[in-house]
Amino acid sequence: MNRIKVADLMTDEVVSVTPGTAFKDIAKLLAQYDISGVPVLDDEDRVVGVVSQTDVLAHAAPDPHAPRQDRDRARPPTAGGIMTAPAVTVHAEATAADAARLMTRRGIERLPVVDVEDRLVGIVTRRDLLRMFLRPDAEVRRRVRDVLGYVLGGAADDVDVRVVDGIVTLDGSVPLRSRLDVLLGLVERLDGVVAVAVHVTARTDDGAGTHAGRSRHPMPW
């Protein structure tokens, strides 16, 4: 998950509004598309704010404590008047792990995705991120065994693989330290792998670096 980018998971068809979009129209969009919020875009498609269900509900009725004449004169609110700004966004090239941490830290369900010029290119939700971990353990184990065979060849049987709820546990030994570095790097990149617990020793420390090993052995899948 650490290496999978937001661009790989986001939805590129996004329901959005402008600062002048009427309150009722925003409420209709949220209900029609069953979404929790919409980004607010300026004339250059840059995200200037977000209107959430919470924002809408907070302005669904006039303040009962406000003077009557103020309530009578109040104009129907627009997106620009009720949006939360500045918007919390994420860049398309950010990792899925970064997006997950940002959502958790800010307590939000969806993030507008922007390009290098901060223009809207998509939306990513918690549900999108959870898709990463919805692979059966048996499938994850099979793919880990494929990686073992690719990296270790005939020595793959020296490593035992267990997968429970996406957590991969490796036990055993490998011939070379460099092979262990490559193995761990590839296993961590597999879809559905939540974490990797390593109990593997190297019979020989050949001093080779992880980066060199990966460049010689690109992933075939």
Side-chain angles (χ1 to χ4, degrees):
M1 182 173 179
N2 289 333
R3 296 171 179 82
I4 295 175
K5 295 181 179 180
V6 169
D8 300 323
L9 301 174
M10 71 181 189
T11 299
D12 56 13
E13 295 183 4
V14 187
V15 178
S16 63
V17 298
T18 66
T21 302
F23 172 86
K24 287 187 177 181
D25 291 335
I26 300 170
K28 289 177 182 177
L29 288 173
L30 295 180
Q32 178 182 349
Y33 291 97
D34 191 23
I35 52 180
S36 60
V38 289
V40 184
L41 309 184
D42 65 12
D43 293 339
E44 297 182 345
D45 288 339
R46 290 189 174 90
V47 183
V48 295
V50 172
V51 178
S52 67
Q53 290 176 338
T54 301
D55 296 323
V56 170
L57 292 174
H59 293 80
D63 183 357
H65 301 293
R68 181 178 180 82
Q69 61 270 27
D70 290 345
R71 283 181 278 160
D72 292 340
R73 289 197 302 265
R75 296 179 179 178
T78 61
I82 67 175
M83 69 184 184
T84 298
V88 180
T89 62
V90 65
H91 283 275
E93 295 304 304
T95 66
D98 288 337
R101 283 191 289 267
L102 182 57
M103 284 185 183
T104 301
R105 186 168 65 248
R106 301 300 292 267
I108 52 182
E109 298 290 332
R110 53 204 289 118
L111 283 170
V113 183
V114 297
D115 62 15
V116 293
E117 296 182 344
D118 291 331
R119 292 186 173 91
L120 184 73
V121 294
I123 200 92
V124 66
T125 67
R126 291 195 180 203
R127 182 178 300 176
D128 295 327
L129 297 177
L130 286 174
R131 287 202 326 249
M132 298 293 305
F133 306 122
L134 296 182
R135 295 182 180 271
D137 287 341
E139 179 183 344
V140 174
R141 184 180 185 279
R142 178 184 59 77
R143 299 192 69 189
V144 172
R145 294 300 314 178
D146 289 343
V147 172
L148 283 169
Y150 177 70
V151 175
L152 302 178
D157 290 339
D158 293 337
V159 179
D160 180 63
V161 180
R162 297 191 306 278
V163 182
V164 178
D165 294 334
I167 300 175
V168 178
T169 302
L170 303 175
D171 288 281
S173 63
V174 297
L176 301 173
R177 173 71 189 187
S178 61
R179 296 298 85 196
L180 178 57
D181 293 338
V182 172
L183 172 64
L184 297 182
L186 297 183
V187 170
E188 288 173 349
R189 292 171 59 185
L190 293 175
D191 291 355
V193 172
V194 176
V196 182
V198 184
H199 307 287
V200 179
T201 59
R203 295 191 287 273
T204 301
D205 189 348
D206 57 352
T210 302
H211 178 74
R214 288 186 188 175
S215 64
R216 290 196 304 268
H217 294 276
M219 282 286 278
W221 42 78

